[in-house]
Amino acid sequence: MALIVKKFGGSSVATPEKILAVARRVLTEKSLEDKVVVVVSAMGDTTDDLISLANAVMDPVYNNSREMDMLLATGEQISIALLSMAFARLGQPAISLTGMQAGVQSNTAYGKGRILDITPERVLAELDKGKIVVVAGFQGVTPDGDIITLGRGGSDTSAVALAGALRADACEIFTDVDGIYSADPRVVPTARKMKEITYNEMLEMARLGAGVMQPRSVEMGKFYGVPIHVRSTFTQNEGTFIREEYTVEEKEFIIRGVTHDTNVAKIAVLGVPDRPGIAYKLFSALAEANIDVDMIVQSVRSTQKNIIDMVFTIAQPDIVQAKQIVEKIGEELGTMGVQVEENVAKVSVVGAGMLGNPGIAANMFGALADAEINIEVISTSEISISCVIKAEQVNEAVQAIHARFFSAS
Amino acid sequence: MALIVKKFGGSSVATPEKILAVARRVLTEKSLEDKVVVVVSAMGDTTDDLISLANAVMDPVYNNSREMDMLLATGEQISIALLSMAFARLGQPAISLTGMQAGVQSNTAYGKGRILDITPERVLAELDKGKIVVVAGFQGVTPDGDIITLGRGGSDTSAVALAGALRADACEIFTDVDGIYSADPRVVPTARKMKEITYNEMLEMARLGAGVMQPRSVEMGKFYGVPIHVRSTFTQNEGTFIREEYTVEEKEFIIRGVTHDTNVAKIAVLGVPDRPGIAYKLFSALAEANIDVDMIVQSVRSTQKNIIDMVFTIAQPDIVQAKQIVEKIGEELGTMGVQVEENVAKVSVVGAGMLGNPGIAANMFGALADAEINIEVISTSEISISCVIKAEQVNEAVQAIHARFFSAS
């Protein structure tokens, strides 16, 4: 007997037929004694349709986030009811639970709620009655009893957190790819599917652009120590397990993956007086506006004393607001100007193995140099190295780096 | 300052534009100090759309009622979120609450929940913050914390029960007619709109076919002693108040209204042995199948001793099931046969005034006789008299009776 949490995304439940297919799929893999929780997202375009309705009514000047969550949470509520009916049709007792009913406790950050705790008594009670429990992903309840939606990738987070709270044997994330690859297979056709990857490596890959999993859900898995199995909706093949440590020796590759992210913009503040407190002033203003700053490079000008240039990267949607803030502060500080470049991308290598292996960075820079790709900004972490390059060279860069590190495969 | 509960049905909130119109309408009538709760139904066709989705997934062999309620409750949840956004757009702070959040406690009869209690602490707290509270009608929460929908006319019931629990000054039911009429104005163009009607009379009229209000919501009003103001969505005119007693002298008409109901079928069980327990056997079997029996007439045959005919009426949708049950029991009892007639209608006069005024029945029968309409079954209550007639004569019958009793108007 095993207790398994399975998560299916919106495209897997987009139509009544697909909902029935998900129910059949779950039952195919379920042995009689297994306890199964299924977490689902809203059907296909439901969320977009609800947002259109809201846009026709609301004035975005006002903060509508609580009501938006009340509205959007109906999407998952529809899916769970229908999927439970589908199980019943196949002779399998099932019950749907909203995020609130499943005990998904969130803070009150409407639209981007963070799970604080799971109180899964109802889920456990229904499992004990022999039912499959179908839980609405992407939603929870605030301390005030309000309905809230979780941030991006929220359904994955719901599933992993539930699996953790239920001490499930595994959490299976069904997706349209069959696992985690060493690079985006659309860019690198020879990319290899991994059997396993550690939470930390997956977190770093997600942070650096690997779209399969959102960082928050991987953090949850790490927190609870739940193995996450990322696998295909369309096949029954094994996918990739995300765990604390490798269970099989799979370390022939020091680098686990090459990721890229085109949702990047670069801002350069030129001719900044080199005084204490300048960086604080600049970046605290950006933080106040909720703008995430990623890579930061401060460079000294050899020709001018006490003058530096400050270069940093942010996500592209923040560019207009960031530019306004930086220009205002730049004027106050008497800088020489602000340059914005949107046409950039970030390419990264990730792998816990690089800790004990010097030369990874050199190898990566060498691959880029051989491909005649210029590096604009470099940053490193314990388990990753990232370079900002021109956006139009990003595929070429990923291919060159992947070939350098994975040529043995 | 007044505390008012206003209820708008699905057609009033069918589109984003109509939702904004409802918000404007509510604000037009609201003085600064008024506290307002708005109860809304699902937008226009939403419920039908959700039922279609369910039909594409479920197998009706299984009991899907809990999941159906989980599904259908999303309809009102969408409306309340959008209406709250509309208020915000007009500068009016508002908050949406599901039935559960508004404290609408129901029994567990899925699909036809009955309100057991209202615990309106959250509603009161939000009103005290100066917000308009927008509550999802037609839904509540079971003792197990499950979402449930109320029976027919459930949104009216939600509104009236909330008004009662909040000790509101009035509950306004906005509808597509501008009040309660002495007969259906589509049948009797000269029908007069009433200023007031008592709960008991309205209950009897609703029970006997007046479609404006469902009996359950009127019962709630009577239970809580909340005046119900039935009025038009399209005008600001006063409609009809439903109260315990008349506040102005409006008793020139002994009869308050003439109602009709074409959703009637007649079953005759012929040649029943006249023994004790026969009626019990027949009607308890129908009750077990949840079939409501309305009028019952037992007639003695002058030519045959110890043999009676039993005639009763039921709602048309129950006819197939009722016929099977009655035929089965008829065989066991050795009756002479079962006759079913669907082509009948019921016409009734209602008025508390008839208690002290003999001759009402004679007057009604006279009106029908003058119009050459044959009466098949008669039944009476303290405040009503009903006749079953041929369905094709129903309009003529209503007109004749209305003219007889309301000719002075």
Side-chain angles (χ1 to χ4, degrees):
Chain A
M1 192 207 83
L3 199 169
I4 314 281
V5 176
K6 292 168 184 266
K7 180 257 168 180
F8 291 87
S11 57
S12 300
V13 292
T15 64
E17 296 69 36
K18 288 187 173 182
I19 287 172
L20 282 161
V22 164
R24 273 185 222 106
R25 162 81 195 241
V26 169
L27 293 183
T28 306
E29 294 185 348
K30 180 185 180 298
S31 77
L32 200 61
E33 307 81 31
D34 283 348
K35 294 184 172 180
V36 175
V37 174
V38 183
V39 175
V40 278
S41 307
M43 293 170 73
D45 302 327
T46 309
T47 304
D48 290 341
D49 293 347
L50 291 169
I51 290 173
S52 300
L53 270 177
N55 286 337
V57 172
M58 73 179 181
D59 181 340
V61 166
Y62 296 96
N63 179 1
N64 290 291
S65 58
R66 180 191 179 276
E67 301 307 330
M68 194 57 125
D69 279 4
M70 175 70 92
L71 180 70
L72 294 182
T74 61
E76 285 77 27
Q77 195 173 322
I78 291 170
S79 308
I80 56 173
L82 294 174
L83 183 55
S84 299
M85 292 176 186
F87 279 123
R89 177 175 178 158
L90 302 175
Q92 166 67 51
I95 187 167
S96 66
L97 297 177
T98 63
M100 187 187 292
Q101 290 170 336
V104 180
Q105 318 266 344
S106 165
N107 66 358
T108 50
Y110 294 112
K112 48 185 178 185
R114 281 178 73 95
I115 295 175
L116 300 177
D117 195 13
I118 305 255
T119 46
E121 286 69 25
R122 179 82 193 265
V123 178
L124 287 166
E126 300 295 346
L127 287 172
D128 283 345
K129 292 179 199 163
K131 292 182 186 169
I132 285 184
V133 180
V134 182
V135 176
F138 192 58
Q139 59 177 245
V141 60
T142 71
D144 296 331
D146 281 346
I147 296 169
I148 190 167
T149 69
L150 309 177
R152 269 188 78 185
S155 289
D156 289 354
T157 312
S158 303
V160 177
L162 264 170
L166 294 167
R167 300 175 192 278
D169 297 288
C171 180
E172 301 182 349
I173 305 289
F174 289 83
T175 172
D176 52 359
V177 295
D178 61 353
I180 311 291
Y181 277 75
S182 58
D184 185 336
R186 288 167 299 186
V187 175
V188 182
T190 59
R192 61 190 282 278
K193 191 177 84 180
M194 303 176 219
K195 284 204 172 74
E196 297 178 300
I197 183 171
T198 65
Y199 297 122
N200 285 341
E201 286 170 329
M202 189 67 235
L203 267 177
E204 194 75 353
M205 282 185 67
R207 193 177 71 79
L208 295 171
V212 183
M213 295 291 290
Q214 288 291 322
R216 181 75 184 133
S217 57
V218 184
E219 280 172 20
M220 273 290 171
K222 184 176 158 70
F223 176 76
Y224 281 114
V226 180
I228 303 171
H229 184 187
V230 180
R231 53 190 301 215
S232 167
T233 310
F234 312 112
T235 75
Q236 295 209 35
N237 300 338
E238 199 159 272
T240 302
F241 282 90
I242 311 173
R243 312 182 192 272
E244 185 60 37
E245 293 197 329
Y246 293 103
T247 57
V248 293
E249 193 61 47
E250 206 191 6
K251 294 197 179 169
E252 67 264 45
F253 299 102
I254 293 158
I255 296 306
R256 296 297 298 162
V258 183
T259 64
H260 63 283
D261 186 354
T262 54
N263 182 30
V264 177
K266 192 179 85 173
I267 297 189
V269 192
L270 304 176
V272 182
D274 188 13
R275 289 199 309 265
I278 295 282
Y280 170 73
K281 189 153 192 177
L282 189 63
F283 294 113
S284 61
L286 290 166
E288 260 171 48
N290 244 327
I291 296 172
D292 241 345
V293 174
D294 181 20
M295 304 159 82
I296 302 173
V297 174
Q298 180 176 315
S299 60
V300 181
R301 295 187 170 192
S302 58
T303 54
Q304 284 170 290
K305 271 200 170 168
N306 303 323
I307 291 284
I308 55 166
D309 296 331
M310 192 84 86
V311 177
F312 59 90
T313 62
I314 57 174
Q316 279 193 359
D318 293 333
I319 195 76
V320 174
Q321 204 191 349
K323 186 161 183 264
Q324 287 172 346
I325 292 169
V326 171
E327 280 176 345
K328 185 161 166 286
I329 291 175
E331 272 175 40
E332 289 169 24
L333 299 176
T335 62
M336 294 170 186
V338 174
Q339 283 178 357
V340 170
E341 195 178 349
E342 292 186 61
N343 188 30
V344 292
K346 186 166 64 177
V347 58
S348 312
V349 296
V350 176
M354 70 173 64
L355 266 170
N357 283 279
I360 303 289
N363 237 330
M364 179 184 187
F365 304 154
L368 291 173
D370 289 353
E372 301 194 342
I373 294 167
N374 191 43
I375 301 171
E376 303 191 11
V377 188
I378 297 168
S379 78
T380 61
S381 81
E382 284 195 344
I383 61 169
S384 71
I385 305 163
S386 299
C387 300
V388 171
I389 58 172
K390 289 266 173 282
E392 60 264 28
Q393 293 179 305
V394 67
N395 286 359
E396 208 185 331
V398 172
Q399 288 153 4
I401 297 168
H402 194 273
R404 178 73 61 118
F405 287 103
F406 292 89
S407 57
S409 73
Chain B
M1 192 206 83
L3 199 169
I4 314 280
V5 176
K6 292 167 185 265
K7 180 259 170 179
F8 292 88
S11 57
S12 299
V13 292
T15 64
E17 295 70 35
K18 288 187 173 183
I19 288 172
L20 282 161
V22 164
R24 273 186 222 106
R25 161 84 196 238
V26 169
L27 293 183
T28 304
E29 294 185 347
K30 179 185 181 298
S31 77
L32 200 62
E33 307 79 32
D34 283 349
K35 293 183 173 181
V36 176
V37 174
V38 183
V39 175
V40 278
S41 307
M43 293 171 73
D45 302 327
T46 309
T47 305
D48 291 340
D49 293 346
L50 291 169
I51 290 173
S52 300
L53 269 176
N55 286 337
V57 171
M58 72 179 183
D59 182 340
V61 167
Y62 296 96
N63 178 1
N64 291 290
S65 58
R66 180 191 180 276
E67 300 306 328
M68 195 57 127
D69 280 4
M70 174 69 93
L71 180 70
L72 294 182
T74 62
E76 284 76 27
Q77 194 173 324
I78 291 170
S79 307
I80 57 172
L82 294 174
L83 183 54
S84 299
M85 291 177 188
F87 279 123
R89 178 175 175 157
L90 302 174
Q92 167 65 52
I95 187 167
S96 66
L97 297 178
T98 63
M100 185 187 292
Q101 290 170 337
V104 180
Q105 317 267 344
S106 166
N107 66 359
T108 49
Y110 294 112
K112 48 186 178 185
R114 281 179 74 95
I115 296 176
L116 300 178
D117 194 13
I118 305 255
T119 46
E121 286 69 25
R122 179 82 192 266
V123 178
L124 287 166
E126 300 294 347
L127 287 173
D128 283 344
K129 292 180 198 163
K131 292 182 187 171
I132 285 184
V133 180
V134 182
V135 176
F138 192 58
Q139 59 177 243
V141 60
T142 71
D144 296 331
D146 280 346
I147 296 169
I148 190 166
T149 68
L150 308 176
R152 268 187 80 186
S155 289
D156 289 354
T157 312
S158 303
V160 177
L162 263 170
L166 294 167
R167 301 175 190 282
D169 296 287
C171 180
E172 301 182 349
I173 306 289
F174 289 84
T175 172
D176 52 359
V177 296
D178 60 352
I180 311 291
Y181 278 76
S182 58
D184 186 335
R186 289 167 299 186
V187 175
V188 182
T190 60
R192 61 190 282 277
K193 192 178 85 181
M194 302 175 217
K195 284 204 174 72
E196 297 177 301
I197 184 169
T198 64
Y199 296 123
N200 286 340
E201 287 169 329
M202 189 67 237
L203 268 176
E204 195 75 352
M205 284 185 67
R207 193 178 70 80
L208 294 171
V212 182
M213 294 291 292
Q214 288 291 322
R216 180 77 183 132
S217 57
V218 184
E219 280 172 19
M220 272 289 169
K222 183 175 158 73
F223 176 77
Y224 281 113
V226 180
I228 303 171
H229 184 186
V230 180
R231 53 189 303 213
S232 167
T233 310
F234 312 112
T235 75
Q236 295 208 34
N237 300 338
E238 199 160 271
T240 302
F241 282 90
I242 312 173
R243 310 182 193 273
E244 185 59 39
E245 294 197 327
Y246 294 102
T247 57
V248 293
E249 194 59 49
E250 206 192 5
K251 295 198 178 168
E252 65 264 44
F253 299 102
I254 294 159
I255 296 306
R256 298 297 297 161
V258 184
T259 63
H260 63 282
D261 186 355
T262 53
N263 181 30
V264 177
K266 192 179 84 173
I267 297 188
V269 192
L270 304 176
V272 181
D274 188 11
R275 291 198 307 264
I278 295 282
Y280 170 73
K281 189 153 192 176
L282 190 62
F283 294 113
S284 62
L286 290 165
E288 258 171 50
N290 244 326
I291 295 173
D292 241 344
V293 174
D294 182 19
M295 304 160 81
I296 303 174
V297 175
Q298 179 175 316
S299 59
V300 180
R301 296 188 169 191
S302 56
T303 53
Q304 285 170 288
K305 271 201 171 165
N306 303 325
I307 291 284
I308 54 166
D309 296 330
M310 190 82 88
V311 177
F312 58 91
T313 62
I314 57 173
Q316 280 193 358
D318 292 334
I319 194 76
V320 174
Q321 206 191 347
K323 188 161 183 266
Q324 287 173 348
I325 291 169
V326 171
E327 280 176 343
K328 187 162 166 284
I329 291 175
E331 273 176 39
E332 289 169 25
L333 299 176
T335 61
M336 294 171 187
V338 174
Q339 284 178 355
V340 170
E341 195 177 349
E342 291 186 63
N343 189 28
V344 291
K346 187 166 62 176
V347 58
S348 312
V349 295
V350 176
M354 70 173 62
L355 267 169
N357 284 280
I360 303 287
N363 236 330
M364 180 183 185
F365 303 155
L368 290 172
D370 289 353
E372 301 194 340
I373 295 167
N374 192 45
I375 301 172
E376 304 194 8
V377 187
I378 297 168
S379 77
T380 60
S381 82
E382 286 195 342
I383 60 169
S384 70
I385 304 164
S386 300
C387 299
V388 171
I389 58 172
K390 289 266 175 283
E392 60 265 29
Q393 294 178 304
V394 67
N395 286 358
E396 210 184 329
V398 171
Q399 288 153 4
I401 296 168
H402 194 272
R404 179 72 62 120
F405 287 102
F406 291 89
S407 56
S409 70

